[in-house]
Amino acid sequence: MTSPLLQIESLQTCFATVGGTVRAVDGISLEIQKGQTFALLGESGCGKSMTALSIMRLVPEPAGRITEGSVRLNGDDLLQLPEVAMRHVRGKRIAMIFQEPMTSLNPVLTIGDQIGESVRQQRGAQAVRARVLELLEAVGIPDPAQRYHEYPHQLSGGMKQRVMIAIALAGEPDLLIADEPTTALDVTIQAQVLDLMRQLQKKTGMAILLITHDLGVVSEMADRVAVMYAGQIVEEADRATFFAKPQHPYSKKLFASLPDIKKRGQRLAIIPGHVPSLASEFSGCRFVDRCDDAIAVCRSQSPKWIAAATSGGVRCFKLDAAYREQFPIVEKQVTIPEHTVEPSTQGNKTLLTVTGLKVHFPIYKGLLRRVVNHVKAVDDISLSIPEGHTLALVGESGCGKTTAGKSILQLVKPTAGTVKFSGAEFTALSSAQLRRHRSDIQIIFQDPFSSMNPRMMVVDIIEEGMITQGIGGNAPARAMRVDRLLEQVGLSPDIKRRYPHEFSGGQRQRICIARALAVEPKLIICDEPTSALDVSVQAQILNLLKDLQDELGLAYLFITHDLSVVEYLAHEVAVMYLGRIVEQGTVQEVMENPLHPYTKALLAAVPVIEKSAEGVERSIISVQGEMPSPINPPSGCHFHPRCIQAMPECKTSYPAAHINGETHMTKCFLYE
């Protein structure tokens, strides 16, 4: 075994706060070999990003400081180097891709200038431009000479992430730290970025520390995996071993929380509670309050690291031979039925019918504000949703999903088309008439924090709709209804006098669901309600939505780009591309037999844990570039510039709808 590139031993990073000392990183040890991809996996708040900042010596001061341990890079202890020496380490020997590219890039500097800052440290001024163009080309940005002079706001999310990778590669680092590099990206762009990182790794031989909470990404990218919980590493193993048989109860729960088509009709396993405060004084196992297999010793003693026979190990009393005999544990067997029968929605009354919906935003120019063009955000879509039915609207960012949802609610006025709900034509109603129907359709927004008034208490947030709509009776009756709603979404009524900032992301999303339910809706539009949540919190929200549908007969329009959630929750799927629906059918039809090349590309871009963990190379249907602008969509089929099956007729005319079977529709010349 060669000496490791990076060796961390007993690293501890603390923050002095009013509430006490927060041990963000509490005694972790790990090793990364040259050319290896090491994944650090765990929920938000467990210390993953702080570990990366500690390696780079970028811990926010004066509150934060590294109190113990060592971080050795090729034998050099970085914690002992002066700050002047660390400046030559950062960028040159270790580089980092931060989680949010927009906040990491300088909005007033061009892309060329920002990458050039890193290049100037390594090369002379004359060679800077040539090297920057070389890096832009290496990370797959089209037309590098033009992009060189553009600003961050002119680039899409995927391109901004590629620029961050180019900046990181400018110094030809030995170690690349990637902190959630694909969290905000669509599956097609995620596949491109991950493939790019793999190619660059093969070409340069650099090691990668991949920080993520996405098990699919880990299964595809990692050589070794470490699971982090409450500031500690609780399990470490090579990829194949970890995915074949995870050892720690927390790791097992993460797998059980994943939604997929096999679990349709069942409740997802959840991890009750949340990650404990890192300011706590821990006397036992940190996972004990959330563990189904906890025994007495788990509360009184902290588990030791149990080394595995090959390499890695686990921190759990279950695998300690001394305690296994003293406290025998009966493994809980979870049986998953092969086939689950769902209640049929056939024959249910149709709640919502959308026909020929268009939303075109005018583009003005000059002092006279002449209309010179339109942004065709939604361009002729039709759909219907029966009672108790879930229709998933899927597609890449910018395809018009959210605009379609808002225009159904008349929050954005449609340019053309009809929206009929229970016989009422929404587009023909005045504002006063429409207000009476607001209680029938509600929306859950993507970001729960920004959709709530930070100055209002939970009780006022939930009660507001009831007061406006005259629902719920007098004040005491409304207060009782608020309590029932909070219990219904799995929260204690005691929290109703608290403010939004006092809750976790999952709790805030539950409050938003309670607010939507308060006015007794028949249909809820869910706009990416789980995209920002950890897998364990996502499972709680999906269980809740499924329970509410069964109990109250709610219908959902579920807007998302997460296809695993679609497989688990939806009855029907509509795939949207550049303002138009290109394929629609039942979940089984679309997911198991996709017809449109775009749908095939979306499904192929999703990492499959079982295959990736076994080292099976998945065949990614290449989707080059990014979605064109809705201002000037391509002629003919909008997807033809990115389609590997494009034919001459695709460039000249838009394909008509083709029906395969009774309900499976696609718009593609391949089927005409």
Side-chain angles (χ1 to χ4, degrees):
M1 177 75 72
T2 57
S3 59
L5 171 69
L6 182 74
Q7 187 174 27
I8 300 175
E9 291 184 4
S10 305
L11 179 67
Q12 188 173 76
T13 303
C14 299
F15 285 82
T17 68
V18 176
T21 301
V22 174
R23 295 174 182 81
V25 181
D26 198 6
I28 73 163
S29 300
L30 59 88
E31 292 182 356
I32 303 177
Q33 303 293 329
K34 294 175 182 176
Q36 185 183 65
T37 299
F38 190 102
L40 198 56
L41 178 70
E43 289 179 277
S44 301
C46 69
K48 304 187 303 294
S49 295
M50 197 50 62
T51 299
L53 293 175
S54 300
I55 293 170
M56 298 280 283
R57 295 247 318 256
L58 292 174
V59 177
E61 294 180 343
R65 58 195 176 92
I66 300 170
T67 55
E68 286 183 28
S70 63
V71 178
R72 298 185 185 278
L73 184 69
N74 273 333
D76 300 329
D77 190 349
L78 302 184
L79 302 187
Q80 303 303 319
L81 295 180
E83 178 58 28
V84 174
M86 275 303 298
R87 289 173 190 164
H88 296 287
V89 173
R90 298 186 196 112
K92 176 63 180 172
R93 297 175 66 187
I94 305 178
M96 187 165 177
I97 305 170
F98 293 94
Q99 184 169 354
E100 179 47 67
M102 192 62 215
T103 57
S104 303
L105 294 171
N106 191 325
V108 298
L109 290 180
T110 64
I111 297 305
D113 288 339
Q114 296 192 56
I115 302 174
E117 284 180 338
S118 300
V119 175
R120 284 188 199 94
Q121 304 297 320
Q122 322 299 332
R123 306 194 178 198
Q126 299 299 320
V128 169
R129 179 180 169 82
R131 175 59 176 158
V132 170
L133 293 176
E134 182 186 327
L135 286 165
L136 287 172
E137 192 169 345
V139 298
I141 290 183
D143 198 2
Q146 181 178 338
R147 298 293 185 186
Y148 185 97
H149 299 288
E150 291 185 351
Y151 292 87
H153 73 272
Q154 295 175 277
L155 305 182
S156 66
M159 283 198 182
K160 284 196 280 277
Q161 196 62 285
R162 287 166 185 262
V163 170
M164 291 296 298
I165 295 172
I167 293 171
L169 294 174
E172 300 174 0
D174 299 321
L175 174 66
L176 176 66
I177 300 174
D179 187 3
E180 301 273 14
T182 61
T183 296
L185 304 181
D186 296 306
V187 287
T188 51
I189 308 303
Q190 172 181 277
Q192 292 176 25
V193 170
L194 294 179
D195 188 49
L196 169 65
M197 289 172 65
R198 274 195 301 267
Q199 290 176 10
L200 293 170
Q201 187 177 33
K202 286 179 183 177
K203 186 178 176 181
T204 63
M206 67 182 177
I208 297 176
L209 173 58
L210 178 65
I211 295 170
T212 184
H213 64 259
D214 190 326
L215 282 162
V217 171
V218 171
S219 73
E220 185 168 302
M221 290 289 292
D223 297 308
R224 291 194 67 77
V225 184
V227 180
M228 199 165 179
Y229 185 80
Q232 291 185 332
I233 289 177
V234 296
E235 182 172 358
E236 184 188 337
D238 63 80
R239 176 181 63 178
T241 302
F242 177 73
F243 282 92
K245 193 175 181 181
Q247 297 292 311
H248 198 276
Y250 176 57
S251 305
K252 292 179 181 179
K253 281 280 194 178
L254 288 178
F255 279 98
S257 300
L258 289 173
D260 62 44
I261 203 162
K262 296 174 187 173
K263 298 175 184 174
R264 287 178 65 83
Q266 306 169 52
R267 290 179 63 78
L268 295 171
I270 64 168
I271 308 177
H274 49 82
V275 178
S277 168
L278 298 180
S280 308
E281 288 290 339
F282 297 103
S283 58
C285 174
R286 301 181 181 198
F287 189 61
V288 63
D289 291 330
R290 309 175 74 188
C291 183
D292 294 336
D293 297 326
I295 53 180
V297 70
C298 297
R299 296 192 178 277
S300 58
Q301 297 181 37
S302 182
K304 296 176 183 177
W305 182 257
I306 311 297
T310 51
S311 63
V314 66
R315 193 183 298 276
C316 181
F317 285 113
K318 284 179 64 176
L319 300 166
D320 192 328
Y323 291 99
R324 198 183 303 148
E325 294 172 8
Q326 189 178 351
F327 300 96
I329 299 167
V330 179
E331 290 281 356
K332 293 181 174 69
Q333 295 296 323
V334 180
T335 56
I336 298 176
E338 291 183 8
H339 301 286
T340 52
V341 180
E342 296 183 50
S344 172
T345 56
Q346 204 167 19
N348 286 13
K349 179 185 172 185
T350 299
L351 269 183
L352 176 73
T353 304
V354 177
T355 308
L357 187 68
K358 294 183 180 182
V359 182
H360 295 178
F361 297 104
I363 299 173
Y364 300 102
K365 189 176 181 181
L367 289 172
L368 299 177
R369 290 176 59 79
R370 290 180 296 109
V371 176
V372 293
N373 209 336
H374 288 84
V375 178
K376 297 174 182 176
V378 179
D379 198 20
D380 193 9
I381 69 166
S382 300
L383 52 87
S384 63
I385 306 177
E387 292 176 341
H389 194 84
T390 300
L391 171 66
L393 194 59
V394 304
E396 293 174 280
S397 299
C399 71
K401 305 187 300 294
T402 298
T403 305
K406 288 181 177 178
S407 62
I408 288 169
L409 280 165
Q410 305 299 298
L411 298 177
V412 174
K413 274 293 179 187
T415 307
T418 61
V419 179
K420 290 184 179 178
F421 184 86
S422 293
E425 173 52 69
F426 276 15
T427 55
L429 299 180
S430 66
S431 297
Q433 292 170 325
L434 195 60
R435 193 174 295 118
R436 291 197 289 271
H437 290 276
R438 289 291 183 204
S439 61
D440 292 331
I441 308 183
Q442 286 291 295
I443 186 168
I444 303 168
F445 292 98
Q446 183 170 355
D447 183 359
F449 189 66
S450 61
S451 67
M452 290 190 283
N453 190 329
R455 296 181 179 86
M456 291 174 69
M457 290 186 290
V458 169
V459 62
D460 300 319
I461 289 169
I462 297 174
E463 224 179 8
E464 188 177 26
M466 290 191 277
I467 294 170
T468 304
Q469 293 291 329
I471 294 172
N474 56 20
R478 288 197 304 271
M480 289 177 64
R481 179 162 170 74
V482 169
D483 291 351
R484 284 198 305 273
L485 286 165
L486 288 171
E487 288 174 347
Q488 199 169 22
V489 298
L491 294 173
S492 168
D494 298 336
I495 59 98
K496 65 183 179 182
R497 300 290 174 191
R498 289 160 61 183
Y499 291 88
H501 73 272
E502 298 179 73
F503 299 94
S504 67
Q507 289 173 320
R508 284 197 284 261
Q509 197 60 286
R510 287 168 180 266
I511 293 167
C512 288
I513 294 171
R515 174 177 62 183
L517 292 173
V519 292
E520 301 171 357
K522 298 171 185 173
L523 171 71
I524 298 180
I525 297 174
C526 306
D527 186 8
E528 301 271 14
T530 62
S531 64
L533 305 179
D534 291 308
V535 64
S536 59
V537 182
Q538 174 184 267
Q540 295 174 21
I541 299 300
L542 292 178
N543 281 342
L544 173 61
L545 291 174
K546 216 168 178 64
D547 291 345
L548 292 170
Q549 188 171 58
D550 294 340
E551 182 185 341
L552 304 174
L554 292 173
Y556 297 126
L557 174 61
F558 203 92
I559 297 169
T560 185
H561 63 257
D562 190 333
L563 296 176
S564 62
V565 172
V566 172
E567 288 180 331
Y568 173 73
L569 192 68
H571 297 94
E572 193 176 351
V573 186
V575 182
M576 198 167 175
Y577 185 80
L578 210 61
R580 297 183 180 182
I581 291 173
V582 296
E583 185 165 357
Q584 188 170 350
T586 65
V587 167
Q588 287 78 10
E589 287 172 338
V590 175
M591 294 298 179
E592 295 173 10
N593 182 33
L595 298 177
H596 199 280
Y598 178 60
T599 310
K600 292 178 182 178
L602 281 180
L603 291 171
V606 179
V608 179
I609 288 178
E610 291 82 0
K611 293 181 180 178
S612 301
E614 293 167 5
V616 177
E617 286 286 333
R618 64 191 175 102
S619 57
I620 299 176
I621 300 172
S622 178
V623 181
Q624 298 302 320
E626 303 190 16
M627 189 181 297
S629 168
I631 299 173
N632 293 303
S635 60
C637 173
H638 293 345
F639 187 60
H640 85 261
R642 303 172 72 191
C643 181
I644 58 174
Q645 295 177 277
M647 300 179 291
E649 56 264 43
C650 300
K651 300 177 183 179
T652 56
S653 57
Y654 199 88
H658 172 81
I659 306 298
N660 182 48
E662 293 185 7
T663 56
H664 197 174
M665 180 279 292
T666 188
K667 294 178 181 177
C668 182
F669 285 115
L670 290 172
Y671 304 97
E672 290 190 0

